[in-house]
Amino acid sequence: MILRLKFQYFGRIYCKMKHRILILGGTRFTGRALAELFVKKKCEVTIASRRVPATKKIISIVGELPEILSELRSKKFEFIFDFTSKTVEEAQFIKDVVSFDSYIFIS
């Protein structure tokens, strides 16, 4: 039930401009559903993971975290949803490397 409420909340995001969304580790259940939601809202979605996303409408960066972060260093996102970090220290490292407006740490 909580998951559904969160998706309803994010479902109300209206993309006047093309929001850039980064989902770290988003190729499975929750991340994939979140990515599909933002694609429907016409956002530009990037998934960075060890797996390739199931849809072609999503920009994919495949690799381990150090490789992914080196590719993301020059990019800017409005939202980051982080499914990969296990500790606050890992999340802090990502925060120091990638430019963003809002960071959502999901552990």
Side-chain angles (χ1 to χ4, degrees):
M1 188 60 142
I2 292 172
L3 183 63
R4 183 195 251 129
L5 292 174
K6 287 183 181 180
F7 281 148
Q8 287 176 355
Y9 171 75
F10 288 119
R12 291 187 185 122
I13 291 176
Y14 177 70
C15 297
K16 286 183 182 178
M17 57 180 190
K18 198 170 201 174
H19 284 303
R20 298 184 71 208
I21 311 293
L22 171 62
I23 301 174
L24 296 170
T27 57
R28 296 241 174 145
F29 176 72
T30 307
R32 188 168 75 193
L34 187 64
E36 289 171 1
L37 175 82
F38 283 119
V39 165
K40 287 179 186 174
K41 298 290 182 183
K42 308 291 187 227
C43 297
E44 180 182 307
V45 178
T46 301
I47 290 183
S49 180
R50 286 180 276 172
R51 302 171 192 261
V52 178
T55 179
K56 302 203 186 275
K57 294 180 180 180
I58 295 173
I59 299 164
S60 176
I61 300 172
V62 179
E64 295 297 323
L65 190 59
E67 302 154 351
I68 288 169
L69 291 178
S70 68
E71 190 164 335
L72 294 174
R73 197 173 291 272
S74 63
K75 296 188 176 14
K76 167 84 168 90
F77 297 93
E78 280 73 37
F79 297 95
I80 295 178
F81 294 86
D82 184 2
F83 291 92
T84 63
S85 295
K86 306 287 186 264
T87 65
V88 173
E89 290 78 20
E90 288 177 10
Q92 181 67 38
F93 180 70
I94 293 167
K95 181 182 124 359
D96 293 341
V97 174
V98 183
S99 178
F100 61 90
D101 294 331
S102 298
Y103 182 90
I104 295 100
F105 173 65
I106 303 165
S107 177

